[in-house]
Every structure is written in C-alpha cells, then in structure tokens.
Amino acid sequence: MPSGVVLLTDRRVARRPLVEVVEAAVGGGVRWVVLREKDLPPAARRALAVELRAVLAEVDGTLIVAGPDPLGGGAVHLPAAGPYPPPAAGLVGRSCHDAGELARLSTEDYVTLSPVFPTSTKPGYGPPLHPDGLRELTGCSPVPVLALGGIEHPEQVRACVAAGATGVAVLGAVMRAGDPGEVAAALTAAAHRSTGRTPTATTEGAP
C-alpha cells in the first residue's frame, strides 16, 4: 500500500528531464511514483512507463499510472469523476476531496485527499483542507489516505501524518527542486519518523 512519500510526475514543471528527477527522488527514498503525463501520445506514455518501472525495480518500488489503463502494470490511480466501479487491477487508488466522494468508494485500496494546503500547481484550487479538515475526512475514509496538495516541507508531512494520513503525495516540491534527491530525502525522513518506520540508508540523517 502506498505510504511515505508518493511522487506525482509533471515533466512540464520539472527542472530536469523527468526520468532524471525520478531517479534522484528514488535515491532520496521515494518508492512510489504516480505517472501522470496524460497529454503524451499513448506510445510515448507507455514507453515512459517502461523507463520509470526500470528505475523503481532497482529498489522494489512501484509505478502507479494515472487513469484506468495501467500501461502494462498492475496499479492505477483514478480521478474522483470515475470510472465507477473501478477497473480490476492489483492496486487501485482514487482522488477524493470531500466526504461525498469518500462515500462513493467501493473496491479502491487507497485515496488521496486534497488540497491539504494551498498549492502553486493548482492555484485557486480548494479551499484547502488544512490538517483539521484532513483529520475529519481521514476519520471517515474506509481506506488509507495520502495527503496531497501544497506539501513542501517536513513539518507539513508531520502534520499530515498526525492528522491520520499514511503518507503524502507530492509534485511541485520535488519536480521544481534544484536537487530533487535532497528534497525527497528530507520529506521521506519526516514521513518515516512520523509513522515510526526506520528510515532507509538514503534518508538517514536528512533533516
């Protein structure tokens, strides 16, 4: 089940080639990556999925594909709008934003709840839940929750875990970073320590 820091991709805001950013984040402790890039032609997106799976395979990581087509894998992440019921897959996540969307869940394995904080990736999107709102929704979710939206600093990670999230999903903080590995390591260390897990060698000593 996704936990710790889950990285969402966006090559349009990444400061380095996308595969390089993911490699750096994996070096910083990330083990779950959600491939977005829905505007790519199908063949190019499938080829990118192959590349990212190879990076994650080196650390026993998992690639989750945004959309109902797992692109040759076994994990998908679906939007709140559908499809319902979810397609059959080894791992199914869904984006949710309120109690009504949580109530529609059926066979999903986990959800993201967003936006927790104001986010520059989707300015004006919200209103933000903040930790108190996240805690309220986490309490009524039938499945584990990843906090998403505006999470850029370790203290935000700790606040989300304290509110009941099993981990956080991040995009801009890593994609826009000059050193994505360093940022990933700091966030991953905060997530591991907040959940009582032992940090990996790559995250040991991160702030």
Side-chain angles (χ1 to χ4, degrees):
M1 198 65 65
S3 61
V5 173
V6 179
L7 176 62
L8 280 64
T9 72
D10 190 336
R11 71 189 190 287
R12 294 167 296 184
V13 303
R15 294 178 60 179
R16 291 157 53 179
L18 184 59
V19 175
E20 288 185 20
V21 174
V22 172
E23 287 174 335
V26 166
V30 168
R31 297 295 179 264
W32 299 87
V33 175
V34 178
L35 171 61
R36 296 167 74 246
E37 318 309 323
K38 294 182 180 181
D39 59 319
L40 282 175
R45 192 167 185 248
R46 185 174 290 271
L48 181 56
V50 171
E51 283 190 84
L52 296 182
R53 282 198 186 97
V55 172
L56 286 159
E58 297 180 4
V59 293
D60 260 349
T62 301
L63 183 71
I64 303 170
V65 177
D69 183 355
L71 300 178
V76 296
H77 186 90
L78 306 172
Y84 290 95
L91 179 70
V92 178
R94 190 180 295 279
S95 298
C96 290
H97 312 88
D98 55 41
E101 291 174 351
L102 289 172
R104 295 184 66 186
L105 298 174
S106 56
T107 59
E108 291 87 347
D109 299 295
Y110 76 91
V111 296
T112 57
L113 283 174
S114 65
V116 178
F117 301 102
T119 169
S120 58
T121 301
K122 292 184 176 181
Y125 185 62
L129 297 168
H130 297 293
D132 286 344
L134 175 64
R135 181 179 294 106
E136 182 177 346
L137 290 179
T138 298
C140 64
S141 175
V143 294
V145 167
L146 296 173
L148 168 65
I151 298 167
E152 299 182 350
H153 307 291
E155 58 268 26
Q156 293 173 305
V157 175
R158 291 189 283 268
C160 290
V161 173
T166 60
V168 298
V170 301
L171 191 156
V174 174
M175 288 287 131
R176 296 188 181 95
D179 188 339
E182 181 179 35
V183 172
L187 298 178
T188 299
H192 285 175
R193 289 167 183 160
S194 298
T195 57
R197 295 175 58 194
T198 301
T200 63
T202 52
T203 60
E204 195 69 60

